[in-house]
Amino acid sequence: MASRDHQPGYAKYYRGRLSNLTEKSTDDDVRRVYDDWAGDYDKDLDSAGCVFYKPMVEFFDNAINEVFQGKKSKSQIRIMDAGAGTGLIGVELHKQGYSDVDALDISQEMLNEAKKKNAYRKFICAPLSDQRTPGVETDEYDALICVGTLIFSHVRPTAFVELIRMVRNGGLVCFTIRADGVKDFSEKIAELENQGKWILVKEGKVPHYNKEDMPRECSAFAYKVSKN
């Protein structure tokens, strides 16, 4: 489902690809959309004026500095890019000096595009859900970034539990949510915070699109994982 206030813009730039995805869509439904879209994805995002990759990685980098305080170099920080798509976040992470990055996405065709960017070490094709992700050990990563993926028609809020499982105690989980979609995830975010599973490091807004008929900002969050 496209952003509620910007459905015409999403339909125009993304040629209706997201129109049939709703909260009732299955993983197979989502996978088919992105498998079919993979070859045109980067071009379509550029046409839509999507700009949040660089500012979101800058947000992530600032949160990393706050959490790790120089105890690890960027090249030593092991990162999962969850919902990596065609690898646009991986490219920006690489520019910032992060070189130990794995990619997770529901679509193998999207991952095939990501491989061309030479920004990742390992590729895992699996959905984001509350189920254990094959090939990912508990506490395997120092940090996880998830950009543009937490949309209720794509991923349920219970997936946060699995994201936390992947990251070691004291590590970082950083993600975006569309401005009009925060309420779909806020209850689970607060529940995990109240349970002491993670601690808010920072939140804010980052630029999303630069076109008038698309959302200009999205919400960004960074949480420190707490497993004590």
Side-chain angles (χ1 to χ4, degrees):
M1 180 185 295
S3 175
R4 297 170 184 86
D5 295 332
H6 297 90
Q7 288 181 354
Y10 279 99
K12 177 173 73 173
Y13 297 114
Y14 297 156
R15 292 170 285 162
R17 293 182 186 274
L18 300 176
S19 301
N20 293 327
L21 293 179
T22 72
E23 62 274 6
K24 296 181 180 179
S25 296
T26 66
D27 287 341
D28 284 341
D29 293 332
V30 176
R31 184 180 296 108
R32 280 192 292 270
V33 167
Y34 286 93
D35 278 348
D36 290 343
W37 195 2
D40 294 326
Y41 187 80
D42 290 4
K43 179 181 66 177
D44 287 351
L45 261 64
D46 185 62
S47 174
C50 186
V51 296
F52 68 172
Y53 295 99
K54 181 178 179 180
M56 188 56 200
V57 168
E58 291 172 349
F59 180 93
F60 172 83
D61 186 56
N62 289 334
I64 285 285
N65 291 334
E66 188 167 339
V67 168
F68 288 93
Q69 298 183 343
K71 294 176 183 177
K72 282 191 171 187
S73 68
K74 290 183 178 183
S75 63
Q76 293 174 319
I77 295 174
R78 185 149 168 69
I79 300 169
M80 168 61 84
D81 181 3
T86 60
L88 296 171
I89 281 290
V91 169
E92 295 300 330
L93 287 169
H94 194 75
K95 290 177 183 177
Q96 285 280 358
Y98 297 101
S99 56
D100 192 358
V101 187
D102 291 346
L104 168 68
D105 200 84
I106 194 172
S107 165
Q108 185 59 55
E109 293 301 322
M110 296 286 274
L111 290 175
N112 290 344
E113 294 297 319
K115 288 177 183 178
K116 300 174 184 178
K117 295 182 172 68
N118 298 314
Y120 300 99
R121 292 183 181 271
K122 184 168 72 171
F123 298 85
I124 301 167
C125 186
L128 287 181
S129 72
D130 59 352
Q131 300 300 304
R132 188 183 180 100
T133 305
V136 178
E137 299 298 323
T138 298
D139 301 340
E140 183 169 347
Y141 295 95
D142 297 303
L144 180 148
I145 186 168
C146 182
V147 177
T149 303
L150 295 175
I151 304 167
F152 199 71
S153 59
H154 293 47
V155 178
R156 302 296 181 263
T158 51
F160 283 128
V161 175
E162 173 62 3
L163 300 187
I164 290 171
R165 183 193 71 82
M166 298 181 193
V167 178
R168 69 171 179 83
N169 189 43
L172 183 74
V173 174
C174 192
F175 55 91
T176 63
I177 304 176
R178 288 177 178 174
D180 70 341
V182 172
K183 62 182 177 295
D184 295 328
F185 294 89
S186 59
E187 183 177 346
K188 191 64 178 180
I189 290 171
E191 176 187 315
L192 292 167
E193 199 166 358
N194 292 335
Q195 291 174 350
K197 301 296 185 182
W198 59 13
I199 301 164
L200 182 65
V201 175
K202 62 183 300 187
E203 66 176 296
K205 302 288 187 181
V206 295
H208 197 176
Y209 292 90
N210 61 16
K211 297 289 180 71
E212 291 295 334
D213 52 353
M214 296 293 277
R216 303 307 294 268
E217 293 181 322
C218 65
S219 297
F221 302 84
Y223 278 88
K224 183 178 180 180
V225 172
S226 175
K227 297 183 179 180
N228 295 329

PDB file of all heavy atoms in Angstrom, residues 57-94:
ATOM      1  N   VAL A  57      22.166   7.082   6.145  1.00  0.00           N
ATOM      2  CA  VAL A  57      23.452   6.507   6.548  1.00  0.00           C
ATOM      3  C   VAL A  57      24.218   7.498   7.427  1.00  0.00           C
ATOM      4  O   VAL A  57      24.919   7.096   8.363  1.00  0.00           O
ATOM      5  CB  VAL A  57      24.266   6.065   5.317  1.00  0.00           C
ATOM      6  CG1 VAL A  57      25.705   5.742   5.697  1.00  0.00           C
ATOM      7  CG2 VAL A  57      23.616   4.840   4.681  1.00  0.00           C
ATOM      8  N   GLU A  58      24.069   8.778   7.179  1.00  0.00           N
ATOM      9  CA  GLU A  58      24.676   9.776   8.060  1.00  0.00           C
ATOM     10  C   GLU A  58      24.046   9.715   9.455  1.00  0.00           C
ATOM     11  O   GLU A  58      24.747   9.816  10.473  1.00  0.00           O
ATOM     12  CB  GLU A  58      24.519  11.169   7.454  1.00  0.00           C
ATOM     13  CG  GLU A  58      25.367  11.370   6.203  1.00  0.00           C
ATOM     14  CD  GLU A  58      25.073  12.674   5.482  1.00  0.00           C
ATOM     15  OE1 GLU A  58      24.058  13.331   5.829  1.00  0.00           O
ATOM     16  OE2 GLU A  58      25.846  13.035   4.573  1.00  0.00           O
ATOM     17  N   PHE A  59      22.732   9.535   9.512  1.00  0.00           N
ATOM     18  CA  PHE A  59      22.029   9.356  10.790  1.00  0.00           C
ATOM     19  C   PHE A  59      22.561   8.114  11.508  1.00  0.00           C
ATOM     20  O   PHE A  59      22.846   8.134  12.711  1.00  0.00           O
ATOM     21  CB  PHE A  59      20.528   9.228  10.509  1.00  0.00           C
ATOM     22  CG  PHE A  59      19.653   9.041  11.715  1.00  0.00           C
ATOM     23  CD1 PHE A  59      19.069  10.127  12.342  1.00  0.00           C
ATOM     24  CD2 PHE A  59      19.378   7.768  12.210  1.00  0.00           C
ATOM     25  CE1 PHE A  59      18.236   9.953  13.447  1.00  0.00           C
ATOM     26  CE2 PHE A  59      18.557   7.583  13.308  1.00  0.00           C
ATOM     27  CZ  PHE A  59      17.986   8.681  13.931  1.00  0.00           C
ATOM     28  N   PHE A  60      22.703   7.031  10.764  1.00  0.00           N
ATOM     29  CA  PHE A  60      23.248   5.773  11.294  1.00  0.00           C
ATOM     30  C   PHE A  60      24.674   5.976  11.806  1.00  0.00           C
ATOM     31  O   PHE A  60      25.027   5.528  12.907  1.00  0.00           O
ATOM     32  CB  PHE A  60      23.215   4.726  10.182  1.00  0.00           C
ATOM     33  CG  PHE A  60      23.906   3.430  10.488  1.00  0.00           C
ATOM     34  CD1 PHE A  60      23.264   2.429  11.202  1.00  0.00           C
ATOM     35  CD2 PHE A  60      25.193   3.185  10.029  1.00  0.00           C
ATOM     36  CE1 PHE A  60      23.897   1.214  11.463  1.00  0.00           C
ATOM     37  CE2 PHE A  60      25.831   1.980  10.283  1.00  0.00           C
ATOM     38  CZ  PHE A  60      25.179   0.992  11.004  1.00  0.00           C
ATOM     39  N   ASP A  61      25.488   6.655  11.033  1.00  0.00           N
ATOM     40  CA  ASP A  61      26.885   6.889  11.403  1.00  0.00           C
ATOM     41  C   ASP A  61      26.979   7.686  12.704  1.00  0.00           C
ATOM     42  O   ASP A  61      27.801   7.379  13.582  1.00  0.00           O
ATOM     43  CB  ASP A  61      27.586   7.627  10.263  1.00  0.00           C
ATOM     44  CG  ASP A  61      29.075   7.794  10.492  1.00  0.00           C
ATOM     45  OD1 ASP A  61      29.769   6.782  10.701  1.00  0.00           O
ATOM     46  OD2 ASP A  61      29.549   8.944  10.470  1.00  0.00           O
ATOM     47  N   ASN A  62      26.137   8.685  12.847  1.00  0.00           N
ATOM     48  CA  ASN A  62      26.122   9.469  14.086  1.00  0.00           C
ATOM     49  C   ASN A  62      25.721   8.608  15.277  1.00  0.00           C
ATOM     50  O   ASN A  62      26.294   8.729  16.372  1.00  0.00           O
ATOM     51  CB  ASN A  62      25.169  10.656  13.951  1.00  0.00           C
ATOM     52  CG  ASN A  62      25.693  11.720  13.013  1.00  0.00           C
ATOM     53  OD1 ASN A  62      26.898  11.851  12.824  1.00  0.00           O
ATOM     54  ND2 ASN A  62      24.792  12.487  12.410  1.00  0.00           N
ATOM     55  N   ALA A  63      24.733   7.727  15.067  1.00  0.00           N
ATOM     56  CA  ALA A  63      24.303   6.837  16.147  1.00  0.00           C
ATOM     57  C   ALA A  63      25.394   5.829  16.498  1.00  0.00           C
ATOM     58  O   ALA A  63      25.605   5.508  17.679  1.00  0.00           O
ATOM     59  CB  ALA A  63      23.017   6.117  15.746  1.00  0.00           C
ATOM     60  N   ILE A  64      26.090   5.322  15.492  1.00  0.00           N
ATOM     61  CA  ILE A  64      27.217   4.409  15.730  1.00  0.00           C
ATOM     62  C   ILE A  64      28.269   5.090  16.603  1.00  0.00           C
ATOM     63  O   ILE A  64      28.786   4.507  17.572  1.00  0.00           O
ATOM     64  CB  ILE A  64      27.849   3.957  14.397  1.00  0.00           C
ATOM     65  CG1 ILE A  64      26.965   2.923  13.698  1.00  0.00           C
ATOM     66  CG2 ILE A  64      29.259   3.406  14.612  1.00  0.00           C
ATOM     67  CD1 ILE A  64      26.998   1.536  14.288  1.00  0.00           C
ATOM     68  N   ASN A  65      28.600   6.325  16.277  1.00  0.00           N
ATOM     69  CA  ASN A  65      29.599   7.063  17.055  1.00  0.00           C
ATOM     70  C   ASN A  65      29.157   7.235  18.501  1.00  0.00           C
ATOM     71  O   ASN A  65      29.971   7.132  19.432  1.00  0.00           O
ATOM     72  CB  ASN A  65      29.859   8.430  16.420  1.00  0.00           C
ATOM     73  CG  ASN A  65      30.574   8.323  15.090  1.00  0.00           C
ATOM     74  OD1 ASN A  65      31.287   7.351  14.836  1.00  0.00           O
ATOM     75  ND2 ASN A  65      30.393   9.312  14.226  1.00  0.00           N
ATOM     76  N   GLU A  66      27.862   7.469  18.685  1.00  0.00           N
ATOM     77  CA  GLU A  66      27.342   7.662  20.035  1.00  0.00           C
ATOM     78  C   GLU A  66      27.360   6.358  20.830  1.00  0.00           C
ATOM     79  O   GLU A  66      27.679   6.348  22.023  1.00  0.00           O
ATOM     80  CB  GLU A  66      25.917   8.219  19.953  1.00  0.00           C
ATOM     81  CG  GLU A  66      25.346   8.634  21.291  1.00  0.00           C
ATOM     82  CD  GLU A  66      24.077   9.452  21.164  1.00  0.00           C
ATOM     83  OE1 GLU A  66      23.844  10.029  20.081  1.00  0.00           O
ATOM     84  OE2 GLU A  66      23.316   9.507  22.143  1.00  0.00           O
ATOM     85  N   VAL A  67      27.041   5.247  20.176  1.00  0.00           N
ATOM     86  CA  VAL A  67      26.957   3.963  20.872  1.00  0.00           C
ATOM     87  C   VAL A  67      28.332   3.341  21.096  1.00  0.00           C
ATOM     88  O   VAL A  67      28.645   2.849  22.184  1.00  0.00           O
ATOM     89  CB  VAL A  67      26.043   2.992  20.090  1.00  0.00           C
ATOM     90  CG1 VAL A  67      26.162   1.565  20.622  1.00  0.00           C
ATOM     91  CG2 VAL A  67      24.596   3.459  20.167  1.00  0.00           C
ATOM     92  N   PHE A  68      29.178   3.356  20.076  1.00  0.00           N
ATOM     93  CA  PHE A  68      30.468   2.664  20.163  1.00  0.00           C
ATOM     94  C   PHE A  68      31.605   3.557  20.648  1.00  0.00           C
ATOM     95  O   PHE A  68      32.619   3.057  21.143  1.00  0.00           O
ATOM     96  CB  PHE A  68      30.821   2.040  18.813  1.00  0.00           C
ATOM     97  CG  PHE A  68      29.979   0.847  18.475  1.00  0.00           C
ATOM     98  CD1 PHE A  68      28.823   0.989  17.728  1.00  0.00           C
ATOM     99  CD2 PHE A  68      30.322  -0.413  18.922  1.00  0.00           C
ATOM    100  CE1 PHE A  68      28.030  -0.106  17.424  1.00  0.00           C
ATOM    101  CE2 PHE A  68      29.542  -1.518  18.626  1.00  0.00           C
ATOM    102  CZ  PHE A  68      28.389  -1.370  17.872  1.00  0.00           C
ATOM    103  N   GLN A  69      31.453   4.869  20.490  1.00  0.00           N
ATOM    104  CA  GLN A  69      32.408   5.845  21.021  1.00  0.00           C
ATOM    105  C   GLN A  69      33.857   5.498  20.678  1.00  0.00           C
ATOM    106  O   GLN A  69      34.752   5.577  21.518  1.00  0.00           O
ATOM    107  CB  GLN A  69      32.224   5.969  22.537  1.00  0.00           C
ATOM    108  CG  GLN A  69      30.843   6.473  22.914  1.00  0.00           C
ATOM    109  CD  GLN A  69      30.654   6.669  24.403  1.00  0.00           C
ATOM    110  OE1 GLN A  69      31.423   6.158  25.219  1.00  0.00           O
ATOM    111  NE2 GLN A  69      29.622   7.401  24.773  1.00  0.00           N
ATOM    112  N   GLY A  70      34.059   5.072  19.433  1.00  0.00           N
ATOM    113  CA  GLY A  70      35.410   4.819  18.954  1.00  0.00           C
ATOM    114  C   GLY A  70      36.032   3.515  19.405  1.00  0.00           C
ATOM    115  O   GLY A  70      37.214   3.255  19.132  1.00  0.00           O
ATOM    116  N   LYS A  71      35.264   2.658  20.082  1.00  0.00           N
ATOM    117  CA  LYS A  71      35.819   1.394  20.575  1.00  0.00           C
ATOM    118  C   LYS A  71      36.073   0.400  19.449  1.00  0.00           C
ATOM    119  O   LYS A  71      36.839  -0.554  19.616  1.00  0.00           O
ATOM    120  CB  LYS A  71      34.878   0.781  21.615  1.00  0.00           C
ATOM    121  CG  LYS A  71      34.768   1.616  22.886  1.00  0.00           C
ATOM    122  CD  LYS A  71      33.753   1.041  23.847  1.00  0.00           C
ATOM    123  CE  LYS A  71      33.611   1.928  25.081  1.00  0.00           C
ATOM    124  NZ  LYS A  71      32.562   1.428  26.006  1.00  0.00           N
ATOM    125  N   LYS A  72      35.406   0.597  18.320  1.00  0.00           N
ATOM    126  CA  LYS A  72      35.644  -0.207  17.130  1.00  0.00           C
ATOM    127  C   LYS A  72      35.790   0.722  15.940  1.00  0.00           C
ATOM    128  O   LYS A  72      35.090   1.738  15.852  1.00  0.00           O
ATOM    129  CB  LYS A  72      34.480  -1.169  16.867  1.00  0.00           C
ATOM    130  CG  LYS A  72      34.456  -2.415  17.727  1.00  0.00           C
ATOM    131  CD  LYS A  72      33.428  -3.410  17.190  1.00  0.00           C
ATOM    132  CE  LYS A  72      33.538  -4.743  17.903  1.00  0.00           C
ATOM    133  NZ  LYS A  72      32.655  -5.763  17.280  1.00  0.00           N
ATOM    134  N   SER A  73      36.683   0.373  15.028  1.00  0.00           N
ATOM    135  CA  SER A  73      36.774   1.145  13.796  1.00  0.00           C
ATOM    136  C   SER A  73      35.600   0.774  12.900  1.00  0.00           C
ATOM    137  O   SER A  73      34.961  -0.269  13.077  1.00  0.00           O
ATOM    138  CB  SER A  73      38.086   0.847  13.079  1.00  0.00           C
ATOM    139  OG  SER A  73      38.098  -0.488  12.599  1.00  0.00           O
ATOM    140  N   LYS A  74      35.314   1.606  11.923  1.00  0.00           N
ATOM    141  CA  LYS A  74      34.192   1.339  11.027  1.00  0.00           C
ATOM    142  C   LYS A  74      34.360   0.007  10.302  1.00  0.00           C
ATOM    143  O   LYS A  74      33.388  -0.724  10.090  1.00  0.00           O
ATOM    144  CB  LYS A  74      34.039   2.480  10.021  1.00  0.00           C
ATOM    145  CG  LYS A  74      33.540   3.772  10.637  1.00  0.00           C
ATOM    146  CD  LYS A  74      33.331   4.842   9.579  1.00  0.00           C
ATOM    147  CE  LYS A  74      32.793   6.122  10.190  1.00  0.00           C
ATOM    148  NZ  LYS A  74      32.510   7.163   9.174  1.00  0.00           N
ATOM    149  N   SER A  75      35.577  -0.324   9.939  1.00  0.00           N
ATOM    150  CA  SER A  75      35.812  -1.573   9.215  1.00  0.00           C
ATOM    151  C   SER A  75      35.618  -2.801  10.099  1.00  0.00           C
ATOM    152  O   SER A  75      35.440  -3.911   9.600  1.00  0.00           O
ATOM    153  CB  SER A  75      37.223  -1.586   8.626  1.00  0.00           C
ATOM    154  OG  SER A  75      38.195  -1.536   9.652  1.00  0.00           O
ATOM    155  N   GLN A  76      35.621  -2.614  11.413  1.00  0.00           N
ATOM    156  CA  GLN A  76      35.435  -3.726  12.348  1.00  0.00           C
ATOM    157  C   GLN A  76      33.976  -3.939  12.734  1.00  0.00           C
ATOM    158  O   GLN A  76      33.644  -4.961  13.330  1.00  0.00           O
ATOM    159  CB  GLN A  76      36.249  -3.474  13.623  1.00  0.00           C
ATOM    160  CG  GLN A  76      37.748  -3.508  13.427  1.00  0.00           C
ATOM    161  CD  GLN A  76      38.484  -3.114  14.695  1.00  0.00           C
ATOM    162  OE1 GLN A  76      38.085  -2.178  15.394  1.00  0.00           O
ATOM    163  NE2 GLN A  76      39.553  -3.830  15.000  1.00  0.00           N
ATOM    164  N   ILE A  77      33.125  -2.985  12.418  1.00  0.00           N
ATOM    165  CA  ILE A  77      31.723  -3.073  12.818  1.00  0.00           C
ATOM    166  C   ILE A  77      30.962  -3.934  11.813  1.00  0.00           C
ATOM    167  O   ILE A  77      30.890  -3.614  10.629  1.00  0.00           O
ATOM    168  CB  ILE A  77      31.102  -1.667  12.931  1.00  0.00           C
ATOM    169  CG1 ILE A  77      31.793  -0.896  14.060  1.00  0.00           C
ATOM    170  CG2 ILE A  77      29.599  -1.757  13.179  1.00  0.00           C
ATOM    171  CD1 ILE A  77      31.367   0.551  14.175  1.00  0.00           C
ATOM    172  N   ARG A  78      30.421  -5.027  12.313  1.00  0.00           N
ATOM    173  CA  ARG A  78      29.703  -5.977  11.459  1.00  0.00           C
ATOM    174  C   ARG A  78      28.242  -5.548  11.363  1.00  0.00           C
ATOM    175  O   ARG A  78      27.551  -5.423  12.379  1.00  0.00           O
ATOM    176  CB  ARG A  78      29.834  -7.378  12.046  1.00  0.00           C
ATOM    177  CG  ARG A  78      29.246  -8.470  11.197  1.00  0.00           C
ATOM    178  CD  ARG A  78      30.000  -9.781  11.385  1.00  0.00           C
ATOM    179  NE  ARG A  78      29.285 -10.906  10.805  1.00  0.00           N
ATOM    180  CZ  ARG A  78      29.117 -11.100   9.504  1.00  0.00           C
ATOM    181  NH1 ARG A  78      29.609 -10.221   8.641  1.00  0.00           N
ATOM    182  NH2 ARG A  78      28.471 -12.152   9.043  1.00  0.00           N
ATOM    183  N   ILE A  79      27.760  -5.341  10.132  1.00  0.00           N
ATOM    184  CA  ILE A  79      26.456  -4.716   9.905  1.00  0.00           C
ATOM    185  C   ILE A  79      25.558  -5.612   9.059  1.00  0.00           C
ATOM    186  O   ILE A  79      26.002  -6.199   8.068  1.00  0.00           O
ATOM    187  CB  ILE A  79      26.627  -3.356   9.196  1.00  0.00           C
ATOM    188  CG1 ILE A  79      27.473  -2.403  10.048  1.00  0.00           C
ATOM    189  CG2 ILE A  79      25.269  -2.724   8.884  1.00  0.00           C
ATOM    190  CD1 ILE A  79      27.899  -1.143   9.316  1.00  0.00           C
ATOM    191  N   MET A  80      24.293  -5.676   9.431  1.00  0.00           N
ATOM    192  CA  MET A  80      23.262  -6.279   8.595  1.00  0.00           C
ATOM    193  C   MET A  80      22.415  -5.167   7.982  1.00  0.00           C
ATOM    194  O   MET A  80      21.896  -4.305   8.707  1.00  0.00           O
ATOM    195  CB  MET A  80      22.364  -7.208   9.410  1.00  0.00           C
ATOM    196  CG  MET A  80      21.089  -7.646   8.688  1.00  0.00           C
ATOM    197  SD  MET A  80      21.412  -8.581   7.175  1.00  0.00           S
ATOM    198  CE  MET A  80      21.649 -10.225   7.843  1.00  0.00           C
ATOM    199  N   ASP A  81      22.300  -5.174   6.665  1.00  0.00           N
ATOM    200  CA  ASP A  81      21.376  -4.288   5.958  1.00  0.00           C
ATOM    201  C   ASP A  81      20.119  -5.107   5.699  1.00  0.00           C
ATOM    202  O   ASP A  81      20.073  -5.932   4.786  1.00  0.00           O
ATOM    203  CB  ASP A  81      22.011  -3.799   4.659  1.00  0.00           C
ATOM    204  CG  ASP A  81      21.120  -2.840   3.880  1.00  0.00           C
ATOM    205  OD1 ASP A  81      20.029  -2.503   4.377  1.00  0.00           O
ATOM    206  OD2 ASP A  81      21.523  -2.428   2.769  1.00  0.00           O
ATOM    207  N   ALA A  82      19.109  -4.907   6.528  1.00  0.00           N
ATOM    208  CA  ALA A  82      17.876  -5.695   6.467  1.00  0.00           C
ATOM    209  C   ALA A  82      16.873  -5.008   5.543  1.00  0.00           C
ATOM    210  O   ALA A  82      16.498  -3.858   5.776  1.00  0.00           O
ATOM    211  CB  ALA A  82      17.285  -5.856   7.866  1.00  0.00           C
ATOM    212  N   GLY A  83      16.464  -5.723   4.505  1.00  0.00           N
ATOM    213  CA  GLY A  83      15.664  -5.100   3.459  1.00  0.00           C
ATOM    214  C   GLY A  83      16.570  -4.324   2.525  1.00  0.00           C
ATOM    215  O   GLY A  83      16.283  -3.192   2.137  1.00  0.00           O
ATOM    216  N   ALA A  84      17.671  -4.962   2.147  1.00  0.00           N
ATOM    217  CA  ALA A  84      18.737  -4.275   1.407  1.00  0.00           C
ATOM    218  C   ALA A  84      18.337  -3.885  -0.007  1.00  0.00           C
ATOM    219  O   ALA A  84      18.932  -2.979  -0.595  1.00  0.00           O
ATOM    220  CB  ALA A  84      19.984  -5.164   1.357  1.00  0.00           C
ATOM    221  N   GLY A  85      17.356  -4.579  -0.571  1.00  0.00           N
ATOM    222  CA  GLY A  85      16.935  -4.253  -1.927  1.00  0.00           C
ATOM    223  C   GLY A  85      18.069  -4.374  -2.923  1.00  0.00           C
ATOM    224  O   GLY A  85      18.808  -5.354  -2.944  1.00  0.00           O
ATOM    225  N   THR A  86      18.243  -3.348  -3.731  1.00  0.00           N
ATOM    226  CA  THR A  86      19.285  -3.354  -4.761  1.00  0.00           C
ATOM    227  C   THR A  86      20.627  -2.834  -4.260  1.00  0.00           C
ATOM    228  O   THR A  86      21.545  -2.634  -5.045  1.00  0.00           O
ATOM    229  CB  THR A  86      18.845  -2.514  -5.972  1.00  0.00           C
ATOM    230  OG1 THR A  86      18.610  -1.165  -5.537  1.00  0.00           O
ATOM    231  CG2 THR A  86      17.585  -3.077  -6.611  1.00  0.00           C
ATOM    232  N   GLY A  87      20.723  -2.577  -2.953  1.00  0.00           N
ATOM    233  CA  GLY A  87      22.021  -2.239  -2.381  1.00  0.00           C
ATOM    234  C   GLY A  87      22.352  -0.768  -2.274  1.00  0.00           C
ATOM    235  O   GLY A  87      23.514  -0.412  -2.075  1.00  0.00           O
ATOM    236  N   LEU A  88      21.362   0.098  -2.360  1.00  0.00           N
ATOM    237  CA  LEU A  88      21.640   1.533  -2.328  1.00  0.00           C
ATOM    238  C   LEU A  88      22.163   1.986  -0.966  1.00  0.00           C
ATOM    239  O   LEU A  88      23.018   2.875  -0.890  1.00  0.00           O
ATOM    240  CB  LEU A  88      20.383   2.316  -2.715  1.00  0.00           C
ATOM    241  CG  LEU A  88      19.914   2.073  -4.160  1.00  0.00           C
ATOM    242  CD1 LEU A  88      18.545   2.700  -4.396  1.00  0.00           C
ATOM    243  CD2 LEU A  88      20.927   2.618  -5.158  1.00  0.00           C
ATOM    244  N   ILE A  89      21.689   1.369   0.100  1.00  0.00           N
ATOM    245  CA  ILE A  89      22.233   1.677   1.427  1.00  0.00           C
ATOM    246  C   ILE A  89      23.655   1.143   1.548  1.00  0.00           C
ATOM    247  O   ILE A  89      24.545   1.798   2.113  1.00  0.00           O
ATOM    248  CB  ILE A  89      21.329   1.102   2.530  1.00  0.00           C
ATOM    249  CG1 ILE A  89      20.118   2.009   2.739  1.00  0.00           C
ATOM    250  CG2 ILE A  89      22.077   0.926   3.856  1.00  0.00           C
ATOM    251  CD1 ILE A  89      20.419   3.350   3.371  1.00  0.00           C
ATOM    252  N   GLY A  90      23.892  -0.041   1.013  1.00  0.00           N
ATOM    253  CA  GLY A  90      25.232  -0.613   1.063  1.00  0.00           C
ATOM    254  C   GLY A  90      26.264   0.282   0.407  1.00  0.00           C
ATOM    255  O   GLY A  90      27.395   0.419   0.905  1.00  0.00           O
ATOM    256  N   VAL A  91      25.899   0.900  -0.688  1.00  0.00           N
ATOM    257  CA  VAL A  91      26.808   1.819  -1.379  1.00  0.00           C
ATOM    258  C   VAL A  91      27.172   2.989  -0.474  1.00  0.00           C
ATOM    259  O   VAL A  91      28.346   3.372  -0.358  1.00  0.00           O
ATOM    260  CB  VAL A  91      26.165   2.326  -2.690  1.00  0.00           C
ATOM    261  CG1 VAL A  91      26.980   3.469  -3.283  1.00  0.00           C
ATOM    262  CG2 VAL A  91      26.040   1.190  -3.688  1.00  0.00           C
ATOM    263  N   GLU A  92      26.168   3.557   0.193  1.00  0.00           N
ATOM    264  CA  GLU A  92      26.428   4.700   1.074  1.00  0.00           C
ATOM    265  C   GLU A  92      27.225   4.283   2.309  1.00  0.00           C
ATOM    266  O   GLU A  92      28.088   5.031   2.781  1.00  0.00           O
ATOM    267  CB  GLU A  92      25.110   5.363   1.487  1.00  0.00           C
ATOM    268  CG  GLU A  92      24.343   5.993   0.341  1.00  0.00           C
ATOM    269  CD  GLU A  92      25.113   7.094  -0.378  1.00  0.00           C
ATOM    270  OE1 GLU A  92      25.946   7.767   0.272  1.00  0.00           O
ATOM    271  OE2 GLU A  92      24.885   7.280  -1.586  1.00  0.00           O
ATOM    272  N   LEU A  93      26.951   3.092   2.839  1.00  0.00           N
ATOM    273  CA  LEU A  93      27.743   2.589   3.964  1.00  0.00           C
ATOM    274  C   LEU A  93      29.208   2.436   3.559  1.00  0.00           C
ATOM    275  O   LEU A  93      30.123   2.789   4.316  1.00  0.00           O
ATOM    276  CB  LEU A  93      27.188   1.244   4.438  1.00  0.00           C
ATOM    277  CG  LEU A  93      25.867   1.272   5.204  1.00  0.00           C
ATOM    278  CD1 LEU A  93      25.315  -0.142   5.370  1.00  0.00           C
ATOM    279  CD2 LEU A  93      26.038   1.926   6.575  1.00  0.00           C
ATOM    280  N   HIS A  94      29.418   1.909   2.365  1.00  0.00           N
ATOM    281  CA  HIS A  94      30.777   1.718   1.858  1.00  0.00           C
ATOM    282  C   HIS A  94      31.505   3.059   1.743  1.00  0.00           C
ATOM    283  O   HIS A  94      32.685   3.175   2.097  1.00  0.00           O
ATOM    284  CB  HIS A  94      30.719   1.013   0.504  1.00  0.00           C
ATOM    285  CG  HIS A  94      32.029   0.471   0.047  1.00  0.00           C
ATOM    286  ND1 HIS A  94      32.607  -0.658   0.581  1.00  0.00           N
ATOM    287  CD2 HIS A  94      32.890   0.917  -0.900  1.00  0.00           C
ATOM    288  CE1 HIS A  94      33.760  -0.888  -0.011  1.00  0.00           C
ATOM    289  NE2 HIS A  94      33.959   0.052  -0.916  1.00  0.00           N
TER     290      HIS A  94
END
